[in-house]
Amino acid sequence: MSDKFDVVVIGGGPGGYVAAIRAAQLGLKTACIDKYINKNGKATFGGTCLNVGCIPSKALLDTSHKFHDANEEFETHGISVKKVEIDVPRMIQRKDEVVDKLTFGVAGLFKSNGVTPFEGTGKLLAGKKVEFTDHSGKTTILEAQNVIIATGSVPVEIPPAPLKDDIIVDSTGALEFQTTPKRLGVIGAGVIGLELGSVWNRLGSEVIVLEAQDEFLSVVDRQIAREASKVFKKQGLDIRVGARVTGTDIKRKQVTVSYTDKDGEQEVVVDKLIVAVGRRPYTEGLLSVDSGVSLDERGFIFVNEQCATDVPGVFAIGDVVRGPMLAHKASEEGVMVAERIADQKAQVNYDLVPSVIYTHPEISWVGKTEDELKAAGEDYKTGFFPFSASGRALAANDTDGMVKIIADEKTDRILGCHIIGPNAADLCQQILISMEFGSTAEDIGLTMFPHPALCEAVHEAALAVNGHAIHKANRRK
Ligand code: FAD
Ligand code: AMP
């Protein structure tokens, strides 16, 4: 086998494996290196997303949601079930089966597209050479016309809460609990903390979330964040904002977590503690001193808008570079870079990256928030529609939340969409697509939506922007 490639991708997560597949589709001779070994000792592609991120967390969210429905919802619909029990090891096993299916799928896609997989570690040397070390320690040099770095990120650890066995865990450990903790602490009310906290809350844990910032979900539109806070409280999540964790002490398999808040020093005792305080770019052992690739002050690989590093022919994408740490952002960058290597004019629209928190109800948004527009001095108008007025949401007894659309005051062009509610991710995507085409709120208003469907709430919110909503009272101008 020749060791010369058109493209060598280091990292096989949603950034790297997608870049590799697209490059191979474009006729480029492509290799993809990944060093991940799963808990059964098997090398798998798919990165954080497939192995220990998006997919396994959603598998647990889906199981716990069904359990919660059976326990608390079915009765409302007239369905009686005797005793609902959760078999946690089976839930974890099902999650593993989903992960195996998808990571196996990536291997299959590599095969069908002609990507050469390399299981082991890649290191970028000078002159676009990549040193590959397999899991037995054998080293080979791969020569590349182009290198794409997609080594992703790892959880941030904080000195007051060092990880310990299965008691103080990061997001990866939180996907492996074999029993439901009686009391669960979560440090960080970000996306990952809220999703994992929700899983175990639904299964019966008493969940306490400690968040250092005073404002809950500071990146989310204020109206949506307020609604989320109300809904999570109703669900029994004890979210304490302005609570900075300062220490932990494990005794007899319980953790005493110390934190400070506006009233001073506090303590809470929990059976398990999840540290979910963010992720950092992962570049350990990746770059030789003479690779020519530089990092920014926060440790991300420095790239331009097109994901090019300082070295011609070397690109970096995904969590290891600036921007939101999201799988779909990584994949889009992967496609863009592969297509640019193949001399196509590709780009990523960084103004329209959707964000989702997969709690129930889901929270999803795209574009500008009211606060951002106010800060920029832009004139805007808003329209909202509550799911409590949606026939379909009522039929499903799933009425928490709302759709909010923000449009330019003069041009009516949609500037942002913010949703908390059932299927928010899919609903928000409808507006994202319309924003890609520069649509106005009126355009959405003039579009026909199926009845009865949750997306009618999107239609009504768009109508409400100009005071024309039918199924709720409009604000008088
Ligand atoms: P990664 O997926 O991190 O992949 C990098 C790969 O590179 C890894 O397999 C690693 O082993 C390999 N690697 C690193 N260094 C080397 C080296 N030197 N040689 C060879 N291989 C190397 N995002 C969403 O969009 N939606 C979600 O719902 C979502 N949920 C999440 C839930 C959790 C619990 C977590 C932890 C993350 C979640 N994310 C979610 C974030 C998402 O997983 C990441 O944004 C995404 O995986 C980043 O993709 P990537 O390709 O940049 O890197
Ligand atoms: P995210 O970056 O979305 O994953 O969210 C991580 C959250 O953890 C942020 O909201 C941080 O404010 C929070 N956080 C970081 N350090 C601490 C700490 N020591 N105590 C409590 N919360 C923290």
Side-chain angles (χ1 to χ4, degrees), residues 10-16 33-36 44 46-55 57-58 120-123 150-153 171 175 191-192 195-196 279 282 284-286 317-320 324-330 356 358:
I10 308 177
I33 306 173
D34 198 292
K35 66 177 183 179
Y36 186 75
T44 56
T48 304
C49 169
L50 264 50
N51 288 293
V52 290
C54 321
I55 297 299
S57 59
K58 265 80 260 177
T121 305
K123 178 175 183 170
T151 49
S153 62
S171 59
L175 301 169
V191 176
I192 294 174
E195 290 186 0
L196 294 174
R279 298 179 62 80
Y282 183 68
E284 258 126 68
L286 173 70
I317 59 173
D319 281 10
V320 80
M325 288 184 165
L326 293 168
H328 42 277
K329 176 262 193 186
V356 186
Y358 288 92

Side-chain angles (χ1 to χ4, degrees), residues 124-130 142-144 147 290-292 311 314:
L124 181 70
L125 310 178
K128 291 186 287 186
K129 288 194 170 59
V130 176
L142 309 181
E143 286 182 47
V147 177
D290 56 355
S291 75
V311 181
V314 177

Side-chain angles (χ1 to χ4, degrees), residues 10 22 36 67 97 138-139 201 205 208 259 296 313-314 323 327 345 357 374 399 456:
I10 308 177
R22 186 69 190 120
Y36 186 75
F67 176 78
E97 288 163 8
K138 189 168 155 271
T139 292
N201 176 50
S205 293
I208 300 130
Y259 63 95
D296 70 16
V314 177
K345 280 198 181 70
I357 308 177
K374 270 184 207 141
T399 53
E456 286 174 297

Side-chain angles (χ1 to χ4, degrees), residues 154-274:
V154 288
V156 167
E157 291 183 36
I158 50 171
L163 304 188
K164 179 76 178 135
D165 305 327
D166 65 343
I167 300 181
I168 303 183
V169 298
D170 58 14
S171 59
T172 304
L175 301 169
E176 298 299 333
F177 291 158
Q178 293 296 315
T179 53
T180 305
K182 202 158 171 294
R183 280 192 118 199
L184 171 69
V186 180
I187 311 180
V191 176
I192 294 174
L194 288 172
E195 290 186 0
L196 294 174
S198 292
V199 166
W200 298 102
N201 176 50
R202 292 169 191 169
L203 298 180
S205 293
E206 183 191 341
V207 178
I208 300 130
V209 185
L210 302 171
E211 167 55 53
Q213 288 187 31
D214 291 329
E215 204 162 42
F216 177 57
L217 286 178
S218 59
V219 293
V220 173
D221 181 89
R222 288 299 78 210
Q223 197 176 354
I224 302 292
R226 272 196 300 276
E227 179 72 11
S229 179
K230 245 191 301 178
V231 173
F232 293 150
K233 198 168 190 179
K234 198 165 72 180
Q235 292 175 358
L237 278 177
D238 178 356
I239 300 170
R240 303 181 189 175
V241 291
R244 176 167 292 279
V245 171
T246 52
T248 47
D249 184 28
I250 302 177
K251 273 204 194 90
R252 274 175 263 111
K253 296 220 151 205
Q254 285 198 313
V255 196
T256 302
V257 186
S258 315
Y259 63 95
T260 52
D261 65 11
K262 61 177 179 6
D263 299 320
E265 306 273 320
Q266 312 287 347
E267 273 184 9
V268 60
V269 179
V270 294
D271 301 296
K272 305 263 185 212
L273 180 64
I274 303 173

Side-chain angles (χ1 to χ4, degrees), residues 66-78:
K66 286 185 197 301
F67 176 78
H68 175 269
D69 269 359
N71 255 330
E72 318 242 335
E73 267 289 305
F74 282 10
E75 213 181 329
T76 317
H77 295 265

Side-chain angles (χ1 to χ4, degrees), residues 221 369-375 377-383 404-410 413 415 465 477:
D221 181 89
T369 62
E370 280 198 64
D371 281 351
E372 284 168 340
L373 291 166
K374 270 184 207 141
E378 286 183 41
D379 293 331
Y380 63 87
K381 50 193 175 177
T382 64
K404 174 173 176 176
I405 291 176
I406 308 180
D408 184 276
E409 175 66 39
K410 281 197 206 72
R413 256 177 105 135
L415 302 174
V465 168
K477 290 261 172 189

